[in-house]
Each structure stands twice: as C-alpha cells, then as structure tokens.
Amino acid sequence: MARLDYSVYVAPSKFVVSDDLPPGEARRMWSPTASTLVYGANDAVLVDPLMTVDESRALADWVVATGKNVTTVFVTHAHGDHFFGAPAILERFPDATLVATPAVAARMGAQWGPRWFDGFWAPRFPGQISDRHVVAQPLTGHIELEGERLHAIELGHTDTDATSALHVPSIGLVVAGDAVYGDVHLYMAESKDDGSRQWLDALDTIESLRPGAVVSGHKRDGDPDSPGDIARTRRYIEDFTAAAEKTGDHADLYEAVVALYPDRINRGVLWNSAKAVTS
C-alpha cells in the first residue's frame, strides 16, 4: 500500500468589483485561495475546489496533470469561494462525490440565495461563477483513500459558522480551510459577540491533533504549510480583538491592525472586517 502524500494549488489574488476601497488602495482584491490534493498511488481527495470558472478549470487541469483519479471532493466550510468551482472538477471527474460535514452541507445552499449570491458574490465577480448550483452530500463517518482513513473534524465557528477541517493522520496533515490563515489578513467580519473566542477554541482543537503540516485556506503561494500558522492565526485574532475593544471607529481599527501587520496580503478584507465589527 503506497503512502499518502499531498500537494497544494494556490489560486492567485483576483480583482473584485467594488468601490469600497481601504485608504491608499487603488483596487480591491480577493485573497489567494488554497485547494489541496491528498493522494495515494492512483486515487485522490480534493479539498475546497475554489470559486470562479477560470480558476477551477485551471485547478482541474492541474489535478489531471498529476495522473490521479479524484474520488471525493471535500468542502471545509460554506463560503462560496471554497466550493462554487466544484462543477469544473466534477466535469473532469464525473464519478467523484462532493461531500461536507452535515453542518457545512446544510449551509451551502444559502450561498446561492438572494442575500449572498445576488447581494454579494455576483456583483463582485460578474459572469465569473458557474451557473450550475451544487451542494455537497452530508458526510457520515470518514473518507477512505486507498486503505487510509481521512477524518472530517468539526470546528464550529471560525471565520464563519459550522466549519471543519480534514485530518489525514497517517501523514500528520490537517487541511484547515479558513480556520487557519497564512500570511493573509483574516476575515473577521463574522467574529462579533463571542465569535473570536469560538475561533480560538477551534484552533485549540486543530493544535490538539499535533499536525506536522497545516494547509491554510488563504496563503501565499509557495509558503510552507507550517503548524506555526496556528499560533500566528491565534495571535492575529487576539490582536484584532484587543484593538477593536480600544477603538470604536472602523478606520482607527483598520490602521491599528495595519500597523501590527503591515506586510500581510489583502488589506481589503481587513477593511471589511473592521467595518463589520464596529457597525
């Protein structure tokens, strides 16, 4: 039996149609987004099939070039940028099954609805998202890949409600979705009330698995899949929360976090987060 391994595809930052620009920024961008292929000798599981038609087709080409057969596509959480691209993968691998934890699967349909698709996604990415609306089958039990078990870990609230990660114990891998971020500003817009505390609890859950590698949902292409990103994500949440408690104005909160993290990618998502938590 061949040992499992994994590879990560990072879709680059892309332009967002928006006139709500942070100070000093000339255009809005979407953060680079990771999709992970866990594979054995022949078969593979793909985690988070991206968003736009173009990037998901490029992802499908990348997977086909590996020579692996995708049997399962796993979605970590119900944000459209992590699963709207599933049709392109399913076209190339029609026998693959799209799955998510029951809590994630139950929330995916809302992303196609008037509030989120019509009110958020379509205006920002006009004509770029597939018109084939897919949702995952609820996953019961584990995913089997060439004799190895891959476990869906329910995390509760992280950057949204009812999120999960995929744990591959045999190789010490956690594909963390947006529970963990690389060197990218975190989406904190859904962290009001006790959301930040719940996210910190989720990080403790991931850390308790003692992973040797952690794939962040948004990261710089080529950066190592370091378990250290857990601690760095924790510190960002704590710093953002502390700054929010000291500032009542979104512009002041934005500037405070930029001062702490001047080199992180995508200040636009920080701008949105600051406006959301101070509203």
Side-chain angles (χ1 to χ4, degrees):
M1 182 171 61
R3 183 178 183 271
L4 300 184
D5 206 341
Y6 79 100
S7 294
V8 181
Y9 179 95
V10 179
S13 297
K14 48 192 168 290
F15 175 65
V16 179
V17 177
S18 175
D19 58 5
D20 183 17
L21 302 177
E25 298 293 303
R27 62 192 307 189
R28 283 297 303 271
M29 301 297 293
W30 198 260
S31 298
T33 307
S35 182
T36 303
L37 189 73
V38 182
Y39 58 87
N42 301 297
D43 294 335
V45 173
L46 183 68
V47 185
D48 288 346
L50 303 177
M51 173 171 53
T52 70
V53 170
D54 285 349
E55 69 186 3
S56 57
R57 285 177 176 166
L59 171 63
D61 289 342
W62 175 81
V63 174
V64 168
T66 69
K68 306 301 180 182
N69 173 51
V70 175
T71 60
T72 307
V73 180
F74 179 78
V75 177
T76 58
H77 64 290
H79 274 159
D81 59 326
H82 291 261
F83 74 88
F84 283 162
I89 305 301
L90 298 176
E91 286 170 6
R92 303 293 287 275
F93 299 95
D95 294 329
T97 305
L98 181 68
V99 300
T101 64
V104 171
R107 296 176 63 84
M108 289 171 69
Q111 293 285 291
W112 296 113
R115 177 186 176 189
W116 284 109
F117 191 78
D118 299 335
F120 184 85
W121 297 110
R124 285 163 176 79
F125 300 97
Q128 298 176 61
I129 299 172
S130 173
D131 58 6
R132 182 181 169 194
H133 297 181
V134 297
V135 296
Q137 298 180 22
L139 177 66
T140 56
H142 60 271
I143 297 171
E144 183 119 354
L145 177 60
E146 296 195 355
E148 298 282 359
R149 291 185 174 187
L150 284 57
H151 301 280
I153 307 298
E154 297 193 71
L155 298 173
H157 181 89
T158 59
D159 78 345
T160 191
D161 289 336
T163 67
S164 68
L166 190 67
H167 183 211
V168 189
S170 67
I171 57 173
L173 171 68
V174 172
V175 185
D178 286 0
V180 180
Y181 277 63
D183 195 24
V184 177
H185 283 287
L186 275 63
Y187 172 71
M188 299 289 295
E190 298 181 42
S191 65
K192 294 178 75 170
D193 301 323
D194 66 344
S196 292
R197 180 195 59 78
Q198 292 181 54
W199 195 341
L200 294 172
D201 290 344
L203 293 175
D204 290 342
T205 297
I206 295 173
E207 203 161 47
S208 72
L209 300 171
R210 299 183 179 180
V214 175
V215 180
S216 301
H218 296 285
K219 55 172 284 183
R220 292 180 187 266
D221 192 10
D223 277 1
D225 301 315
S226 171
D229 282 340
I230 301 171
R232 286 184 281 271
T233 299
R234 181 183 291 113
R235 179 63 180 271
Y236 186 106
I237 295 168
E238 293 170 343
D239 286 343
F240 182 96
T241 302
E245 291 172 351
K246 294 177 183 177
T247 59
D249 176 78
H250 70 272
D252 290 342
L253 174 56
Y254 172 83
E255 295 295 345
V257 178
V258 166
L260 292 171
Y261 298 95
D263 298 322
R264 282 205 172 217
I265 297 174
N266 195 5
R267 294 181 179 182
V269 71
L270 169 60
W271 179 249
N272 277 8
S273 298
K275 294 179 79 172
V277 302
T278 57
S279 62

